Amino acid sequence: MILLDTCALIDLIHPNPTLSRSTLELMETGTLILSVSFAEIACKISADKLSLGVSLSALIERIQDTTVCEIVDISTQMWLDAVAL
């Protein structure tokens, strides 16, 4: 199982991802995506720093429909703890 950060998730949704073959193979065993990554992507879209060619809602729905990806909701305390690392 692998946890994708926001940069890896953005790379993955582009038509020609640059993730390594070993990463893509590892993703097939299970992939976790933190819900906060979608907030980060939304901020980039709002600031005109990212264009997906699809709505964020459609992207989330597409990810939820896959069998290997799981979106993990995290609490405020969890992301505060992560920032403190």
Side-chain angles (χ1 to χ4, degrees):
M1 183 157 296
I2 190 169
L3 172 66
L4 291 185
D5 67 3
T6 304
C7 291
L9 177 58
I10 291 170
D11 182 68
L12 182 66
I13 59 180
H14 280 310
N16 297 313
T18 60
L19 296 172
S20 70
R21 177 179 220 83
S22 61
T23 298
L24 294 171
E25 288 172 0
L26 187 57
M27 286 177 60
E28 292 176 12
T29 66
T31 304
L32 299 176
I33 301 167
L34 299 181
S35 58
V36 71
S37 289
F38 296 104
E40 291 180 63
I41 290 171
C43 288
K44 289 183 179 291
I45 291 170
S46 293
D48 289 327
K49 293 184 177 184
L50 178 66
S51 176
L52 299 178
V54 64
S55 73
L56 189 57
S57 297
L59 172 66
I60 293 169
E61 190 174 304
R62 187 170 60 186
I63 289 171
Q64 288 175 326
D65 286 345
T66 68
T67 58
V68 296
C69 290
E70 179 183 347
I71 298 171
V72 179
D73 288 326
I74 62 170
S75 68
T76 303
Q77 188 59 53
M78 290 172 80
W79 67 258
L80 283 171
D81 290 345
V83 169
L85 291 176

